[in-house]
Amino acid sequence: MSDSSAPPAARPSLLEIRGLTKSFGALKALQDVDFTLGEGEIHALLGENGAGKSTLIKVVTGVFARDAGTVRLAGDEIAPRSAKDAVEAGIATVYQEVNLLPNLSVAQNLYLGRQPTRFGVVRQAEMRRRAHALLLDYGLDIDVGAPLASYSVAVQHITAIARAVDLSARVLILDEPTASLDRHEVEILFRVMRKLAADGIGIVFVSHFLDQVYEICDRVTVLRNGRLIGTRDITDLPRLDLIRMMLGRELAETTHERAASQPDTAREVCVSFKGFGKQGYVAPFDLELRRGEVVGLAGLLGSGRTETARLVFGAERADSGEASVAGKAVRLNSPRDAAGLGFGYCPEERKTEGIVADLTVRENIVLALQARRGLHRPLSRREQDEIAMRYIRMLDIRPPDPERPIGLLSGGNQQKALLARWLATSPKLLVLDEPTRGIDVGAHAEIIRLVRDLCEQGLALLVISSELDEIVTYSNRVVVLRDRAHVEELKGDAVEVSSILAAIAADAPTAQEVAS
Amino acid sequence: MKASTSVAITAAVLVAGFALCALQFPNIASTRVVANLLTDNAFLGIVAAGMTFVIISGGIDLSVGSVIGFTTVFVALAVERWGIPPFAAFALVLVLCALFGAAMGAVIHVFDLPPFIVTLAGMFLARGISFLLSTESIPITAPIYSAVSDFAIRLPGGGRLTAIAIAMLAILVLSALLLHLTRFGANVYALGGSRTATALMGIPVGSMTIRIYMLSSVLAGLAGIVFSFYTAAGYSLSAVGVELDTIAAVVIGGTLLTGGQGSVIGTFLGVLIQGMIQTYINFDGTLSSWWTKIATGVLLFVFIALQQGLMALARRSSVKPPGVKPVGVST
Ligand SMILES: Nc1ncnc2c1ncn2[C@@H]1O[C@H](COP(=O)(O)OP(=O)(O)OP(=O)(O)O)[C@@H](O)[C@H]1O
Ligand SMILES: [Mg+2]
């Protein structure tokens, strides 16, 4: 530490990365990257999808072997050769892919490998007690003896974070930790992060939410195509400059104006639900979806948004009410029924559940379309290539190589490919659950534009999003949910962030709630 | 679906089956028959305990039958021809088995090969070596053998709980403790849940894999020793196909072939069910012993279908717990 060049920040530096290089075959994922993290600093690592953020993290934590470069932790050179080595050195990481074990209990997930034992026997009760107390710190009061799989993605993420932090780390790396958390949970996480930083832990934070970066981070480092673009103090960096650093160009301006709204009645009703619901899941609701219209579903996590989507797609069987398509009552008991009616559903957990990692990008994109056509009418290779290339171009999937196994793409690019899978089926009704999660600023604007285009082509869209700005931008109507019930429907000029927030927050029971 | 549900189903099938057998042949409901059933299946219970670990961890071990065969031949030769004292021979053969299992685990981990292929190779290898050692059946006459087979705890009603049955019960209890109460056991479930996630959580996946296959082979070796007591002989063709009976017992006991879920108690019930079918056929006297295989096959189908059905049911009715109450953050 007798180095004469003081780190740029006033803080003593904790993690110093110099000249890090990593190639996957011909692809240079990282080239000569430097990165310095100070004690107690929250440092954002930013860049487009595929820029090399996750790769940097995996190289530092020994998941991938590096080609060149050095990593120093508190002055000592380290070269972890596995995630275990990194943990022992004091670098705790929550990776982008959920890296927990759904079949084990929450408590086991928190303490796997370091359960309290007596004479070699795991002290179950003690472990549960500690796990429960630990999660209370994160604002979760749950049964830690239940399998992790029985909880939402958000709870799973918080569990992963709690585990990583609890490993008495000096450096904590969070790769897109907030991608599936709602506002409230993000607040909880940020409070925890600030507390940890105050204790002197250095935190690396990867995110595509620039608001969050400005809210929580001290400095940012930007990567583009595997190269270091620069490190800046967040206070000296206007947002437009940051975006320019990330994209290497100006962001094509997306008008955050609302789509011109025609009167509802001008459009033909495509699908409608009457008194549709399921006991203990979502209270019965009425919903009409019209051609060429986007309906947004807003509400806190757990308010019943995803549950509504699953009912609409038949993934969950409704026990009351009826659905009709073009005025005719239809059976909607399974996803198969829904697909037959021309519904498409791009679920929230697509990152972990939707992709078939060993298949190529092309095969992943044509999967749903092929399934719909049936096996006796295979798509010719030419058609497949055409479809794949069209969506690769449309969504800017990188690298634009349809023959690459999808598992080797970066997280955000996998997500785009999945979106392409459902778009390729040209459905009548498309349900998108958080379509912009984990997608970079550039592609984010593309997807919003895409949603509008689809709508103009006469699709009916039902879109779930936690980003209210986004929902307001493309929705003609917004349904607000609270406590697993549809509590309000905003139309026309009433579709505003403030009115959605008011509806989410309203404490007074609405007429509908009282009635049910 | 809860692991306990499938164990409960297995237990119900066992009880119902036993009741039916007892209705037809009242003599079946005696300590003598039950104790004999335990003795006859002692070796199966011991290998199945090891197989439970392997399958929960997401693997499979096809070599166990051959390892049993190898052990009986090795022990017989060591004791009868090479003049090695029996207990030294046991220790020696268990060390060999441990090395064999460790080697399979290491190959699976290092070369990232499917356990099916590696243990299939292990199966041929172990069987081949036993043939190399000897192709004939070698009777074992060492005094310890007759002493052990004479030993038994007398049960009320005339049953004899033999030494090898006691050994099986002890091993099952120890395995259950190891699987359900220790860190090692938790890691076995973790591996079956997801290998990559387990590795990312800092669990040494390589050494776990090695130790799991080592455990399976050592238990197969112990089963081989027990088998040599049972038959008082060593024969290179013994226990052919036992790996399949073992897998069947484990699966009937509610352990998922895909890994991540299962229990030793379930496996024990699975072994008892197979033993019960065998006993029924013996009592009947007119049925060919191949009926055991047929009944086991049918049961396997039924159980796998049941598991899938129950799982689908559980998935359908699973409502994510809404009780995620936010509370204040202590800072
Ligand atoms: N195991 C792998 N084999 C081959 N190529 C890989 C592998 N992992 C990543 N890549 C490639 O390395 C590049 C960088 O990927 P990385 O996952 O680091 O991106 P990222 O910045 O984390 O993006 P995102 O924001 O989408 O998560 C991408 O082009 C990706 O396709
Ligand atoms: Mg990434």
Side-chain angles (χ1 to χ4, degrees):
Chain A
M1 288 288 283
S2 58
D3 207 55
S4 58
S5 66
R11 302 186 168 88
S13 64
L14 186 60
L15 185 70
E16 289 183 339
I17 297 170
R18 295 289 172 266
L20 207 62
T21 299
K22 170 77 190 170
S23 304
F24 294 110
L27 187 122
K28 296 202 164 96
L30 290 174
Q31 287 185 67
D32 198 20
V33 173
D34 296 347
F35 181 87
T36 307
L37 176 71
E39 262 174 36
E41 180 191 24
I42 303 182
H43 195 137
L45 181 60
L46 303 180
E48 288 179 278
N49 293 133
K53 304 177 296 289
S54 299
T55 305
L56 176 72
I57 289 166
K58 288 189 174 164
V59 170
V60 169
T61 56
V63 177
F64 294 153
R66 64 181 92 141
D67 298 343
T70 57
V71 179
R72 286 168 180 276
L73 183 65
D76 302 325
E77 191 158 337
I78 57 165
R81 290 173 52 198
S82 66
K84 184 175 162 37
D85 286 356
V87 167
E88 275 163 10
I91 303 181
T93 312
V94 177
Y95 297 92
Q96 186 170 8
E97 307 81 33
V98 176
N99 48 3
L100 294 172
L101 300 155
N103 60 326
L104 299 189
S105 70
V106 174
Q108 286 282 18
N109 270 288
L110 284 169
Y111 289 104
L112 192 72
R114 57 200 186 95
Q115 300 96 327
T117 56
R118 183 183 286 144
F119 311 122
V121 171
V122 174
R123 300 164 63 198
Q124 303 282 350
E126 169 70 10
M127 180 173 80
R128 286 206 201 112
R129 196 187 57 70
R130 284 197 211 170
H132 188 251
L134 183 65
L135 288 182
L136 269 186
D137 270 358
Y138 291 80
L140 290 185
D141 184 6
I142 58 174
D143 172 14
V144 294
L148 189 73
S150 60
Y151 291 104
S152 66
V153 186
V155 171
Q156 300 190 14
H157 265 266
I158 290 186
T159 306
I161 292 165
R163 176 186 165 92
V165 169
D166 197 48
L167 292 167
S168 68
R170 286 192 284 176
V171 173
L172 172 65
I173 302 179
L174 303 173
D175 195 353
E176 298 195 34
T178 54
S180 47
L181 305 189
D182 72 13
R183 260 164 203 259
H184 172 74
E185 288 160 325
V186 169
E187 269 316 303
I188 293 170
L189 174 67
F190 281 3
R191 251 180 285 174
V192 172
M193 281 168 68
R194 288 199 186 95
K195 176 181 149 207
L196 294 169
D199 295 344
I201 294 181
I203 301 177
V204 179
F205 180 71
V206 179
S207 177
H208 291 295
F209 297 104
L210 298 187
D211 288 337
Q212 294 179 0
V213 169
Y214 275 93
E215 183 182 342
I216 187 99
C217 295
D218 304 310
R219 284 196 296 166
V220 294
T221 291
V222 175
L223 300 181
R224 194 195 315 142
N225 294 331
R227 288 177 192 278
L228 175 70
I229 301 301
T231 298
R232 302 272 194 287
D233 278 347
I234 194 85
T235 42
D236 311 340
L237 185 64
R239 186 184 282 247
L240 282 179
D241 292 357
L242 174 58
I243 292 176
R244 201 175 305 121
M245 281 173 82
M246 288 167 62
L247 302 187
R249 60 182 159 86
E250 301 292 334
L251 179 63
E253 201 54 50
T254 40
T255 45
H256 265 253
E257 270 164 34
R258 303 229 322 104
S261 51
Q262 291 170 256
D264 291 343
T265 44
R267 300 193 181 90
E268 144 200 4
V269 173
C270 167
V271 186
S272 78
F273 299 91
K274 285 230 158 42
F276 211 62
K278 177 175 177 176
Q279 186 89 41
Y281 195 67
V282 180
F285 59 86
D286 295 341
L287 186 63
E288 283 191 341
L289 301 166
R290 298 187 165 86
R291 279 172 57 94
E293 187 189 47
V294 182
V295 175
L297 286 183
L300 297 177
L301 211 96
S303 60
R305 296 174 309 184
T306 297
E307 288 78 359
T308 301
R310 289 175 60 83
L311 278 178
V312 165
F313 195 63
E316 201 72 39
R317 200 188 281 204
D319 60 8
S320 68
E322 63 179 39
S324 47
V325 172
K328 275 198 235 65
V330 291
R331 200 177 69 156
L332 193 54
N333 286 339
S334 66
R336 206 189 148 93
D337 291 345
L341 294 168
F343 295 5
Y345 175 41
C346 197
E348 187 182 6
E349 319 90 274
R350 58 193 168 275
K351 211 149 58 181
T352 47
E353 289 181 5
I355 66 161
V356 188
D358 294 333
L359 295 187
T360 64
V361 173
R362 169 179 54 83
E363 289 163 327
N364 268 283
I365 290 178
V366 300
L367 200 64
L369 181 58
Q370 183 63 68
R372 178 118 143 241
R373 287 169 54 118
L375 289 176
H376 52 283
R377 280 172 54 214
L379 284 163
S380 77
R381 182 57 193 264
R382 252 216 11 249
E383 285 172 293
Q384 293 190 17
D385 285 338
E386 257 169 39
I387 293 169
M389 275 323 290
R390 183 160 82 237
Y391 287 102
I392 287 175
R393 241 176 274 126
M394 184 152 137
L395 300 177
D396 189 20
I397 295 173
R398 278 186 248 174
D401 172 8
E403 299 310 315
R404 208 175 164 76
I406 200 170
L408 302 185
L409 260 56
S410 77
N413 282 305
Q414 291 180 2
Q415 208 143 316
K416 291 187 202 168
L418 278 165
L419 192 57
R421 178 191 295 173
W422 289 106
L423 292 179
T425 61
S426 37
K428 277 195 226 134
L429 165 67
L430 186 58
V431 183
L432 301 175
D433 197 346
E434 301 287 1
T436 58
R437 278 281 154 85
I439 284 181
D440 68 47
V441 270
H444 192 279
E446 288 302 320
I447 286 184
I448 290 183
R449 197 167 309 141
L450 190 80
V451 167
R452 284 182 174 170
D453 287 354
L454 289 172
C455 179
E456 261 155 39
Q457 290 164 24
L459 234 76
L461 285 140
L462 185 64
V463 186
I464 298 174
S465 177
S466 303
E467 287 176 85
L468 298 183
D469 286 334
E470 180 188 312
I471 243 186
V472 166
T473 311
Y474 50 62
S475 304
N476 302 81
R477 282 184 289 145
V478 173
V479 174
V480 180
L481 289 97
R482 196 170 64 234
D483 295 333
R484 295 173 176 263
H486 293 217
V487 293
E488 200 155 339
E489 187 172 315
L490 304 168
K491 282 189 196 132
D493 293 338
V495 178
E496 271 178 12
V497 173
S498 57
S499 49
I500 297 177
L501 274 177
I504 289 175
D507 273 324
T510 60
Q512 195 176 345
E513 261 183 331
V514 172
S516 65
Chain B
M1 138 142 133
K2 301 288 146 310
S4 48
T5 336
S6 48
V7 171
I9 292 172
T10 313
V13 169
L14 179 64
V15 170
F18 196 77
L20 283 180
C21 293
L23 272 183
Q24 197 178 350
F25 305 111
N27 287 343
I28 280 189
S30 72
T31 57
R32 183 172 310 172
V33 173
V34 173
N36 284 348
L37 191 158
L38 291 179
T39 305
D40 294 342
N41 291 285
F43 75 101
L44 187 62
I46 296 172
V47 250
M51 187 69 84
T52 308
F53 284 80
V54 176
I55 293 183
I56 291 177
S57 80
I60 193 100
D61 187 351
L62 297 178
S63 71
V64 291
S66 305
V67 170
I68 294 176
F70 165 80
T71 305
T72 62
V73 176
F74 185 91
V75 167
L77 284 176
V79 173
E80 298 298 320
R81 305 266 163 89
W82 309 333
I84 300 176
F87 282 103
F90 298 159
L92 197 61
V93 79
L94 288 181
V95 169
L96 289 177
C97 289
L99 290 176
F100 182 72
M104 288 194 300
V107 170
I108 290 169
H109 174 70
V110 175
F111 299 106
D112 196 18
L113 289 173
F116 189 93
I117 305 291
V118 176
T119 59
L120 186 68
M123 167 175 131
F124 283 115
L125 201 69
R127 190 65 74 185
I129 294 173
S130 4
F131 281 126
L132 267 188
L133 288 178
S134 166
T135 47
E136 53 199 90
S137 176
I138 308 152
I140 306 175
T141 53
I144 170 91
Y145 271 74
S146 43
V148 165
S149 43
D150 287 346
F151 175 86
I153 297 177
R154 299 220 163 266
L155 299 175
R160 294 175 74 248
L161 194 59
T162 56
I164 60 176
I166 295 170
M168 167 183 74
L169 294 176
I171 284 170
L172 283 169
V173 169
L174 289 178
S175 305
L177 295 179
L178 183 65
L179 182 63
H180 302 297
L181 297 184
T182 66
R183 285 186 185 174
F184 177 84
N187 291 348
V188 170
Y189 283 96
L191 275 176
S194 156
R195 269 187 100 71
T196 29
T198 308
L200 287 177
M201 285 169 89
I203 304 299
V205 171
S207 88
M208 274 304 297
T209 309
I210 291 172
R211 284 192 283 168
I212 289 168
Y213 284 91
M214 218 163 110
L215 179 70
S216 174
S217 291
V218 167
L219 286 181
L222 269 173
I225 295 171
V226 163
F227 199 74
S228 74
F229 277 105
Y230 183 60
T231 58
Y235 184 34
S236 48
L237 271 178
S238 50
V240 168
V242 159
E243 57 280 346
L244 302 181
D245 295 336
T246 312
I247 295 169
V250 172
V251 171
I252 290 176
T255 296
L256 288 187
L257 262 180
T258 44
Q261 210 172 78
S263 66
V264 173
I265 173 82
T267 297
F268 179 51
L269 297 175
V271 170
L272 290 184
I273 286 181
Q274 289 203 15
M276 179 185 77
I277 297 170
Q278 181 72 59
T279 309
Y280 175 86
I281 285 163
N282 290 348
F283 261 76
D284 185 273
T286 61
L287 290 172
S288 129
S289 76
W290 288 105
W291 280 101
T292 320
K293 304 278 176 210
I294 293 170
T296 309
V298 169
L299 264 183
L300 260 180
F301 267 124
V302 169
F303 272 85
I304 291 172
L306 254 175
Q307 279 177 3
Q308 293 300 324
L310 275 176
M311 250 192 294
L313 213 81
R315 228 179 285 133
R316 185 155 306 164
S317 63
S318 89
V319 176
K320 287 193 175 147
V324 182
K325 288 167 256 156
V327 296
V329 176
S330 63
T331 30

